[in-house]
Amino acid sequence: MARRANWVIGIAALAATAGFSFGIGQSDDATAAQTTSNTHVGVATCGGTTCHGRQEADGAVVRQDEILRWQDPASATGAHSRAYAVLTNPRSQRIANELGIGNPASAAMCLGCHSDYVPPARRGPRFQLSDGVSCESCHGGAGGGDTGWLASHYAVGNSHAANVRRGLYPLDNPRARASLCLNCHFGSTAEGQFVNHRIMAAGHPRLVFELDLFSTLQQHHDEDGDYALRKGRTNHVRMWAVGQATALERSLTLFQNQRLGTEGMFPEFYFFDCHTCHRRIYDDPNARPTGITNPSRPIPNGFPSYQDENMIMLAAAARVVAPNLATRFDRDSRAFHGALADGRSAAMTAASRLRDSARQLGNAFASASFNRQQTFAIINTVSSDAIRPRFTDYEGSVQAVMATDTLLNAMVSQGMVSEASVTGIRADINAAYAAVREPNAYRPLEFRQALGRASAAIGRLR
């Protein structure tokens, strides 16, 4: 776990974290309002030693040291609790100065994702913005007297479904979880929840996200027998696949939003692959272009390419789990890339079709079993000749290595393969991580070789 946590912190800086609004993914609105107006009572309300504030995980039903894990200062597990404090460091102040927004610790542009940014009317007496991305940022407001879930969630005989009806966010639902996390780990239409190109140009780290990997890094609970009775076991492969589909659906929804899709006379470059433009320039007459032709992007030379790492992962999963939808998805993906060269009107039409394809894949994945055979097949497809030529850019390669790591760990945790059998494979996965650790030192050949070795070794475990 520490190995993966360190890599994620290094590559993503975990600067954007879960916020307060959400969309379930079935809606055309990427930020459908939360279903309750419960008061957010604050972390201190949850911190009693009979609740979640113990120093050791010795609770009879739940760990009861959840706040301690949430506050962990040394790992990704505590990243959400550190989100507000990030706004007080010198880098954040430099970004704020570039943007002209004053103090980042009080700017709505930052607080939308670095805190539990609910309106003052919904803040209880123990609520503090300085708690960062707190319990209720993800679990939903707990207060509200008889209508909230604060008291009901520990009542004898109460059910998880009853708590959800009172406003507890259904994080056990992969689509709901993905939609909530993406509000800040990709963006939404809510205030302070869209890191546009201007913000990144000012110095904000790029956003990278993979639902199952990041969920694992943030996990504060144990999936024991009691958990399984209340919520069921997590199918990590399903979580990964649904996350990929929901991420693409969110991206295309926001891209179609006129307010977010353009910036002055330019398209909003946040949606495009950074390395399309941020390549080294050589004026030597014998210089060769650094770009590599991608067979799935029928775009003219010199055009920026849409950020398509989720499309690549979805294509791999669809070939295995939903082959009846895979052909249409590939066709719609190519058509969308091509339409970007034809103007905004054509791109919007193509984006709608591709978003619908992604939504259908998400629905198919949400009800799929993702058995042992399918999981092996997806890993093989991610690194196969059918998909590998699409790994021409940094972001797609990052998703591929995270996918391989996530799927391998899923097979171990779900009992498909033993931990001992994968020990040697992790060396090749680490080598693939090393090849994508630094964007400006991305080594595509080394990455492909390491990923190929890992995939081949995993295939031999069949």
Side-chain angles (χ1 to χ4, degrees):
M1 186 66 67
R3 170 185 58 78
R4 295 205 298 169
N6 289 339
W7 182 83
V8 171
I9 291 173
I11 198 169
L14 287 178
T17 42
F20 70 90
S21 65
F22 63 81
I24 298 299
Q26 298 296 326
S27 169
D28 285 340
D29 180 3
T31 55
Q34 188 165 332
T35 55
T36 71
S37 57
N38 288 357
T39 300
H40 285 226
V41 296
V43 172
T45 306
C46 309
T49 56
T50 59
C51 300
H52 300 289
R54 293 188 185 181
Q55 297 299 299
E56 295 184 15
D58 54 3
V61 179
V62 298
R63 295 178 58 94
Q64 295 191 256
D65 69 339
E66 289 82 6
I67 290 180
L68 183 67
R69 291 169 63 83
W70 169 77
Q71 291 176 327
D72 188 336
S75 77
T77 310
H80 281 171
S81 68
R82 299 191 295 267
Y84 181 85
V86 165
L87 299 179
T88 65
N89 68 27
R91 179 182 188 177
S92 294
Q93 189 58 63
R94 287 195 299 271
I95 294 171
N97 291 342
E98 288 287 336
L99 295 169
I101 59 174
N103 182 2
S106 60
M109 180 183 289
C110 307
L111 293 175
C113 285
H114 285 264
S115 73
D116 185 13
Y117 193 52
V118 293
R122 292 176 56 197
R123 301 175 185 177
R126 307 181 81 177
F127 174 92
Q128 298 184 84
L129 281 176
S130 59
D131 284 334
V133 178
S134 62
C135 314
E136 293 162 293
S137 300
C138 301
H139 293 285
D146 293 337
T147 61
W149 58 267
L150 179 62
S152 70
H153 85 293
Y154 58 75
V156 175
N158 193 52
S159 69
H160 175 63
N163 292 329
V164 170
R165 288 193 294 271
R166 289 173 174 264
L168 180 71
Y169 195 84
L171 292 173
D172 54 311
N173 180 315
R175 298 214 62 169
R177 179 185 296 196
S179 192
L180 177 68
C181 296
L182 284 165
N183 285 344
C184 283
H185 285 280
F186 184 85
S188 84
T189 57
E191 185 176 22
Q193 291 191 333
F194 186 71
V195 181
N196 61 19
H197 189 255
R198 288 180 56 245
I199 297 175
M200 290 198 294
H204 192 287
R206 79 170 71 212
L207 302 183
V208 61
F209 183 66
E210 193 275 282
L211 179 64
D212 187 70
L213 174 59
F214 279 40
S215 294
T216 300
L217 294 173
Q218 286 295 305
Q219 184 169 306
H220 302 138
H221 64 273
D222 294 329
E223 290 201 2
D224 53 15
D226 171 74
Y227 182 94
L229 285 174
R230 290 182 293 114
K231 302 178 183 179
R233 299 284 187 189
T234 298
N235 185 314
H236 293 279
V237 186
R238 180 188 297 130
M239 189 74 72
W240 167 80
V242 169
Q244 294 292 331
T246 308
L248 178 57
E249 189 179 340
R250 174 65 62 86
S251 171
L252 293 166
T253 297
L254 296 180
F255 176 71
Q256 291 178 273
N257 185 304
Q258 182 64 40
R259 181 172 64 86
L260 302 178
T262 59
E263 181 74 12
M265 67 178 289
F266 296 103
E268 173 48 66
F269 290 120
Y270 170 71
F271 295 105
F272 293 86
D273 190 302
C274 300
H275 289 79
T276 296
C277 299
H278 292 277
R279 298 184 186 272
R280 295 175 180 175
I281 298 175
Y282 300 95
D283 289 330
D284 187 294
N286 296 316
R288 294 179 177 272
T290 55
I292 303 173
T293 300
N294 190 309
S296 293
R297 296 177 186 161
I299 57 178
N301 187 40
F303 267 70
S305 59
Y306 199 85
Q307 188 95 309
D308 65 354
E309 71 243 41
N310 302 120
M311 296 184 208
I312 300 172
M313 295 299 101
L314 281 176
R319 288 167 186 255
V320 175
V321 179
N324 57 317
L325 299 175
T327 300
R328 176 192 168 182
F329 179 76
D330 285 342
R331 182 183 67 244
D332 289 346
S333 297
R334 288 181 57 84
F336 173 66
H337 280 300
L340 292 172
D342 294 333
R344 182 164 179 82
S345 178
M348 293 302 98
T349 300
S352 292
R353 288 196 298 266
L354 181 56
R355 184 181 65 171
D356 184 62
S357 288
R359 181 175 300 169
Q360 289 192 39
L361 283 175
N363 292 337
F365 295 157
S367 59
S369 62
F370 289 96
N371 57 36
R372 186 176 188 272
Q373 181 179 354
Q374 289 174 322
T375 305
F376 272 114
I378 291 173
I379 293 176
N380 179 64
T381 305
V382 165
S383 60
S384 72
D385 291 339
I387 298 295
R388 193 165 53 223
R390 298 179 68 173
F391 296 140
T392 58
D393 298 278
Y394 176 74
E395 286 84 358
S397 299
V398 169
Q399 282 293 333
V401 67
M402 287 196 295
T404 304
D405 193 12
T406 289
L407 296 172
L408 179 63
N409 281 284
M411 289 195 292
V412 172
S413 66
Q414 293 171 208
M416 298 178 185
V417 297
S418 69
E419 177 64 42
S421 68
V422 305
T423 301
I425 299 173
R426 298 198 189 281
D428 288 321
I429 291 178
N430 286 342
Y433 272 131
V436 299
R437 189 180 304 278
E438 166 53 47
N440 294 318
Y442 169 51
R443 303 186 298 277
L445 180 59
E446 290 182 28
F447 162 76
R448 292 187 186 189
Q449 291 173 340
L451 186 69
R453 290 194 303 269
S455 178
I458 294 170
R460 289 193 290 272
L461 297 178
R462 281 188 173 186

